[in-house]
Amino acid sequence: MAPTPPLSRRPSEGPIRTFCHTWLPALLMAGLAGAGCSFAPVSPARRAPTPVSLVVTQGHFILDNGLLRARIEQRSGVLVSLRFEGRELLAQQSAGGALGGYWSWVGLLTPGPRRVGQVRIDPATNGGALAEVATEFLQDPEREPASVEMSLRYTMLRGEPCLYVSAVWRHRAGDPPLAVGEARYALKLNPDLFDFLSVDKTRQRHMPAPADWDRGEPTNLKEARRLVTGRHAGTVEHKYDYAAPLYEIPAYGWSSTRERIGLWIVQPSWESVAGGPTKVELTGHLDVNPGGTPTLLWMWLGSHYGGSSLVVGTNETWSKFIGPIALYCNRGGRPAQLWGDALERARAEAARWPYDWVRDPDYPPASERAVVRGRIRLLNPETTPSRHGRMWVGLTAPDHPVPAIRGRGRRFNRPGLAFTNATPTAPPGLTNRSPDFFRGFPPLVDWQRDGKHYQFWTRARPDGSFEIPHVRPGTWTLHAFAEGVLGELVRTGVTVRAGQQLDLGEIPWQPERFGRTLWEIGVPDRTAREFRHGDHYWQWGLYLRYPQEFPHDVDYVIGRSDWRRDWNYVQPPRIRALPGIPLSEEQEITEEPDPPANGNAGPRTRVEPTTWTIRFALPEPVRGTAVLRMAFCGAGPRCRIEVAVNGRPVGDTGLLPATSTMHRDGITGYWTERRVRFDAALLRAGENRITLHLPAESWTQGVLYDYLRLELAEDPDAP
């Protein structure tokens, strides 16, 4: 399903009224300076900032503060023009695709049909300090109710080279349900200006020209083309090669190598972003439509790498304040300098969060938010504080079922199954085979997919102490996970009151363990980064090298092999021939139960299963129960791993969560652990072999391991 396009524009029909004042309260100026809100020297320091002006026409809002000039269509909420020091930053024409800055979504959603342009904050009332306008999508009492009311907002402050963008979604009890898998704010940028994309320190790229994209040759994916002209001729351009964990990129965007101008998405907070700190999403790329327009995205609700869940039932009262984010403009340096300045701006914006200029019942001010602190003490005889790495600690909504929606969703929540992603437990009789949940996911929505509620995360200090600021009042679940530790801490029922300083004290964390470790492969960090190709995973088509690099599949010898070289970042099928028709994003996994694995089958498609072998020696026979613990950070559709010990099948993983991580050139997706237990008597003194078999039906069925460990629960009395 394609994203909802922005509504068509209507030309301005002339000004109606203008708001422009020259006085800015000293208190506001002092507050901005105290927050360290500096930016690139875009105007002489001695010149007083221009007050914010607002012009309202019959079709548009025009905001101007002397640095930025933004024109917003009232009826649609589309940002049709953004000028920085007189230079147009947005594309004004395109051979294909949308234009401007706009909100879009994919899923079952009907916005309110009554559209009203509204001046929310009039600069005439605050001396030109700030202005805020909105397009309201409201219910119409004369028509059938819509599923959600929306408010799409733009805010401009005096002296700031930022346009702030936010939205509010509200659903009343009794309104039709909504089920959205993807929602974002998108910008289509001026292709004559922007030519350099900065995502993180490893992905700083002078991009192909739009004409190079248009001339590119097809590959196995419609979003990927082999370039035949330009500076990157001979390489493949793929929009997913710029995807990243949003929590790790507080500022990202495009710049101009010629005019030294930058436009950046700055994230002051991630509380409204779905999926927590491991969620990977698209950031920027060339539009895949004709014209190859430079594109910048804020995917607050993402459908990729495991997706997100936002489902609201008919009888629910629900709302969410989304953002604000800042569209930050700067100039005067090379791309790396402009990006560095944007990161500094992100730190300054984070220090101002929550913004004191936001006025909305769904956005508590600082005085009504809490600070939650504590210290996590890891109780693990094999992992000392000096050995475990960075730890994330967060407060999220409790795991929750997806409301049933007419004709949809009935298979999300099956009775009689107990499963949490941190500690999966299968029903009796299924100890070696996990239930085939919806697309391999648990029946309850956890924090990795939750887009319905807010989330609050922070990095713990090396001693395990943490402080989570700006927490909204409510009852939350505390989570923690750390590099080097398999599993997750979960503590439910953390009640937070408005304005509270909540100290949880010392929180013991005893990671689950079944016995002593016989061997391990990798580092439990929820990625496959430590394995072969993990240090440059974002290159298109690394999985196609597998038949040449591993002609006899992976054969890993414990104590001799090196996982950085001998364990591939993905276990793909052996791809002998790709289909003649490129796979489109619409053909990938959607929110439908258990779709066929091979939506891209064709007469040219030829794939073969792969079997990886782990060899290890034991000095003597063992007794008891062995548990093979496998952590996965990505899988294709309908993937499962079948396990055998010394040639004897002992179980499989069941369906793994379908994330399409491999062919989206990723290194991490939705994380899960699966366990296979077997009688330790199957092991013998001397060499042993465990095989991991991936049945293959489609070239997209690749599996990414995060970590593997074989544990032994010894029982000397076992026969």
Side-chain angles (χ1 to χ4, degrees):
M1 184 184 300
T4 303
L7 299 167
S8 60
R9 303 175 185 168
R10 296 188 302 178
S12 169
E13 299 181 23
I16 297 177
R17 61 185 187 277
T18 301
F19 302 98
C20 183
H21 287 262
T22 58
W23 176 77
L24 180 68
L27 182 62
L28 177 61
M29 289 296 294
L32 295 177
C37 296
S38 62
F39 47 86
V42 295
S43 59
R46 64 180 181 273
R47 187 173 63 194
T50 302
V52 179
S53 68
L54 169 62
V55 176
V56 183
T57 75
Q58 291 182 358
H60 294 82
F61 298 115
I62 300 173
L63 302 173
D64 196 325
N65 68 358
L67 298 172
L68 292 178
R69 186 175 189 268
R71 184 160 57 95
I72 300 110
E73 187 180 66
Q74 293 184 42
R75 185 172 183 271
S76 66
V78 171
L79 176 66
V80 297
S81 173
L82 182 64
R83 288 183 171 270
F84 176 49
E85 293 192 320
R87 189 68 163 99
E88 179 60 64
L89 304 186
L90 302 184
Q92 297 301 299
Q93 60 184 5
S94 173
L99 291 173
Y102 58 92
W103 295 91
S104 69
W105 56 87
V106 177
L108 179 67
L109 182 148
T110 305
R114 187 163 60 93
R115 301 172 189 179
V116 178
Q118 182 183 34
V119 177
R120 288 183 48 82
I121 301 178
D122 184 345
T125 65
N126 55 45
L130 75 161
E132 183 172 275
V133 298
T135 298
E136 307 285 346
F137 292 73
L138 304 174
Q139 300 284 0
D140 186 341
E142 302 298 322
R143 301 173 64 176
E144 289 293 320
S147 56
V148 67
E149 289 191 323
M150 290 184 181
S151 178
L152 310 182
R153 303 175 182 178
Y154 295 89
T155 310
M156 184 176 286
L157 276 62
R158 184 179 187 179
E160 301 291 344
C162 293
L163 181 66
Y164 296 90
V165 181
S166 60
V168 185
W169 289 14
R170 294 190 173 103
H171 178 276
R172 306 173 306 181
D175 287 342
L178 64 98
V180 183
E182 177 176 302
R184 62 190 182 176
Y185 188 79
L187 293 145
K188 300 303 172 74
L189 308 186
N190 186 346
D192 297 326
L193 180 63
F194 292 106
D195 59 356
F196 198 97
L197 179 61
S198 299
V199 178
D200 52 30
K201 65 181 180 181
T202 58
R203 284 172 288 184
Q204 302 277 329
R205 183 169 170 84
H206 199 169
M207 295 292 284
D212 297 332
W213 170 260
D214 284 344
R215 299 187 191 107
E217 297 175 345
T219 66
N220 58 328
L221 298 161
K222 286 189 176 180
E223 291 82 15
R225 292 185 186 177
R226 189 176 301 279
L227 305 179
V228 296
T229 59
R231 65 176 62 90
H232 297 297
T235 66
V236 173
E237 183 68 13
H238 188 200
K239 71 178 186 180
Y240 288 99
D241 292 351
Y242 309 102
L246 293 183
Y247 276 61
E248 296 182 9
I249 51 170
Y252 58 95
W254 288 77
S255 57
S256 170
T257 58
R258 297 181 299 276
E259 300 189 31
R260 297 194 169 195
I261 290 177
L263 175 58
W264 312 92
I265 285 180
V266 168
Q267 304 179 92
S269 168
W270 293 274
E271 68 178 43
S272 60
V273 174
T278 60
K279 185 68 175 77
V280 175
E281 264 308 333
L282 295 169
T283 58
H285 56 82
L286 295 178
D287 193 338
V288 299
N289 292 295
T293 306
T295 300
L296 189 57
L297 302 170
W298 183 55
M299 303 284 294
W300 69 270
L301 182 74
S303 62
H304 310 108
Y305 304 98
S308 305
S309 175
L310 198 174
V311 182
V312 180
T314 300
N315 296 323
E316 289 187 78
T317 299
W318 170 86
S319 61
K320 189 167 187 178
F321 194 107
I322 303 153
I325 57 169
L327 306 182
Y328 173 57
C329 304
N330 59 5
R331 74 176 310 160
R334 295 184 298 274
Q337 295 171 311
L338 295 171
W339 176 60
D341 174 70
L343 291 175
E344 287 295 326
R345 182 71 190 205
R347 282 187 278 270
E349 294 294 328
R352 299 166 65 183
W353 187 273
Y355 293 128
D356 58 8
W357 45 262
V358 177
R359 297 288 186 270
D360 193 277
D362 287 304
Y363 188 89
S367 61
E368 296 179 14
R369 293 173 179 247
V371 176
V372 179
R373 59 177 59 91
R375 178 177 178 271
I376 294 174
R377 184 164 63 93
L378 190 62
L379 306 174
N380 188 340
E382 297 189 23
T383 304
T384 64
S386 62
R387 287 187 59 196
H388 78 73
R390 298 184 302 172
M391 180 187 296
W392 280 104
V393 183
L395 291 168
T396 75
D399 294 357
H400 59 276
V402 176
I405 293 179
R406 185 180 305 168
R408 297 169 60 96
R410 282 194 286 265
R411 296 185 64 190
F412 277 90
N413 188 18
R414 298 181 184 175
L417 299 181
F419 188 104
T420 65
N421 199 45
T423 309
T425 303
L430 288 177
T431 55
N432 275 1
R433 183 171 181 178
S434 299
D436 291 341
F437 299 122
F438 173 78
R439 291 174 50 203
F441 290 98
L444 300 180
V445 176
D446 64 5
W447 62 264
Q448 291 187 80
R449 302 190 72 226
D450 183 25
K452 189 175 183 177
H453 307 95
Y454 302 99
Q455 300 193 26
F456 309 90
W457 291 86
T458 191
R459 289 281 195 186
R461 302 180 185 91
D463 66 353
S465 60
F466 64 89
E467 183 174 287
I468 306 175
H470 315 312
V471 180
R472 292 166 175 258
T475 299
W476 308 98
T477 297
L478 180 77
H479 298 269
F481 61 93
E483 297 174 1
V485 182
L486 179 60
E488 180 178 316
L489 168 71
V490 179
R491 177 173 172 177
T492 60
V494 178
T495 299
V496 177
R497 298 189 301 274
Q500 185 179 15
Q501 297 282 325
L502 177 60
D503 192 337
L504 299 177
E506 185 172 272
I507 304 168
W509 177 17
Q510 178 69 67
E512 189 172 17
R513 179 173 284 278
F514 300 96
R516 65 183 176 94
T517 299
L518 296 182
W519 51 258
E520 61 182 359
I521 297 173
V523 177
D525 62 358
R526 304 198 173 212
T527 80
R529 193 181 305 274
E530 68 270 31
F531 301 130
R532 185 184 183 96
H533 296 308
D535 57 346
H536 60 108
Y537 64 88
W538 56 87
Q539 293 178 274
W540 169 86
L542 290 173
Y543 47 88
L544 297 175
R545 301 183 188 180
Y546 179 79
Q548 291 73 43
E549 296 179 338
F550 295 92
H552 305 293
D553 287 333
V554 166
D555 189 356
Y556 191 90
V557 182
I558 299 296
R560 191 170 69 192
S561 298
D562 184 345
W563 62 57
R564 295 170 298 181
R565 179 188 65 243
D566 303 320
W567 190 273
N568 202 41
Y569 82 106
V570 63
Q571 181 175 355
R574 191 170 296 278
I575 303 170
R576 298 299 190 185
L578 288 168
I581 302 174
L583 181 70
S584 69
E585 190 166 11
E586 289 78 9
Q587 291 171 305
E588 294 188 36
I589 296 300
T590 61
E591 292 292 334
E592 297 296 335
D594 300 335
N598 192 358
N600 194 33
R604 290 180 52 192
T605 306
R606 260 194 325 117
V607 298
E608 298 170 359
T610 53
T611 303
W612 287 14
T613 301
I614 304 168
R615 291 192 284 158
F616 58 100
L618 293 178
E620 58 187 8
V622 292
R623 296 178 178 180
T625 300
V627 183
L628 178 61
R629 303 181 66 178
M630 295 171 284
F632 296 93
C633 55
R638 296 191 68 83
C639 281
R640 69 173 73 241
I641 295 295
E642 299 171 351
V643 180
V645 177
N646 290 325
R648 181 172 174 178
V650 294
D652 68 51
T653 60
L655 284 183
L656 296 171
T659 65
S660 300
T661 301
M662 180 189 77
H663 64 272
R664 285 172 176 155
D665 300 338
I667 202 69
T668 184
Y670 182 92
W671 183 93
T672 189
E673 181 193 342
R674 298 294 168 87
R675 303 159 183 173
V676 174
R677 295 172 173 84
F678 59 89
D679 188 345
L682 293 175
L683 302 174
R684 58 200 177 208
E687 185 180 85
N688 293 271
R689 298 189 180 202
I690 290 180
T691 56
L692 308 174
H693 178 74
L694 173 66
E697 301 173 5
S698 166
W699 71 267
T700 60
Q701 288 181 288
V703 170
L704 283 76
Y705 298 92
D706 165 31
Y707 176 71
L708 300 93
R709 185 164 77 207
L710 182 62
E711 298 180 7
L712 175 63
E714 294 180 277
D715 182 1
D717 298 326

